[in-house]
Amino acid sequence: EVTRNDFIHVTGNHEIFGDYTIANRLFDIENSRRYSVTYGNVYIAVIGYLDGEAEHKDAAEWLVSDAARSDARWKIVVTHQPPYGTNEAATDCKYCMGRATTCQAEIDFVFSGHDHALVRTEPLKGGEIAESDKDGVIYYVCGSISKKTYGTTNNRGYHFAVDPTIDYDGVYLTVDATDSKFTVNVYSADG
């Protein structure tokens, strides 16, 4: 019996600064740094590692245009670099297409990695807590499946709703989406 699992690949800095063609061949994606798919009632925009102001601007313009063509009930972005980062030692997202653009593109959730930390923000609009859940974007930094984790801080005022000091040895997230409810579940790597 053949089992099929769909897989969404987000190109990270290790692929970009290594041999980028491997990811393209492995996942058979013409431009694996930016693409979108729709699964049922969920639009998913994928934006890989971005380097510099021009790439962030280009990705922002693409996202607004691409998301506008979707009539999916839920719209999410999966990206490598978090618009609201957790690592105090790392530089803040200097250009960050994600913050203003996700509201403009009517995105509901943003899932990112890179920081090897696990947090979720309150619903945000313009960097502040939105008046209602429906008005804001919820941002996740999704940890990692490995034991490689970094400490997190919330001293930048990013309105983390989940304690950024949670210890974990690897996690993964699943999503269940109906027309009325979007549920994110977080599991330890061992299930």
Side-chain angles (χ1 to χ4, degrees):
E1 177 180 333
V2 175
T3 302
R4 178 181 169 179
N5 290 312
D6 294 321
F7 189 89
I8 295 174
H9 179 264
V10 182
T11 306
N13 53 302
H14 294 284
E15 289 92 353
I16 296 301
F17 298 119
D19 184 352
Y20 178 54
T21 61
I22 294 172
N24 282 337
R25 287 193 317 264
L26 182 61
F27 297 107
D28 194 26
I29 299 168
E30 185 176 324
N31 180 358
S32 65
R33 289 176 74 180
R34 182 178 70 207
Y35 62 96
S36 66
V37 296
T38 300
Y39 286 99
N41 59 359
V42 181
Y43 162 86
I44 305 166
V46 177
I47 300 173
Y49 184 83
L50 301 173
D51 189 23
E53 185 174 10
E55 286 187 13
H56 282 269
K57 183 178 183 225
D58 183 55
E61 290 171 358
W62 171 82
L63 177 62
V64 171
S65 173
D66 194 66
R69 290 192 293 272
S70 173
D71 61 356
R73 167 62 182 96
W74 303 102
K75 294 182 180 180
I76 68 172
V77 172
V78 182
T79 185
H80 184 73
Q81 296 139 290
Y84 293 95
T86 61
N87 186 341
E88 183 179 328
T91 54
D92 202 10
C93 190
K94 188 174 181 181
Y95 313 109
C96 229
M97 72 86 212
R99 293 179 185 172
T101 304
T102 51
C103 286
Q104 186 180 357
E106 299 180 353
I107 301 300
D108 299 296
F109 299 91
V110 175
F111 296 93
S112 61
H114 191 65
D115 280 4
H116 297 264
L118 176 63
V119 296
R120 174 182 57 82
T121 68
E122 297 288 351
L124 300 178
K125 185 173 185 177
E128 299 299 326
I129 297 175
E131 291 183 23
S132 78
D133 290 355
K134 295 178 182 179
D135 291 334
V137 180
I138 297 175
Y139 298 85
Y140 284 82
V141 179
C142 299
S144 75
I145 199 72
S146 73
K147 293 184 183 229
K148 180 180 179 182
T149 62
Y150 300 142
T152 61
T153 60
N154 193 18
N155 66 354
R156 293 179 179 159
Y158 288 166
H159 308 291
F160 293 143
V162 174
D163 181 359
T165 62
I166 294 172
D167 288 330
Y168 66 93
D169 285 336
V171 295
Y172 65 95
L173 285 69
T174 65
V175 170
D176 293 311
T178 67
D179 286 338
S180 61
K181 191 174 183 179
F182 191 94
T183 305
V184 179
N185 296 298
V186 180
Y187 299 95
S188 63
D190 63 6

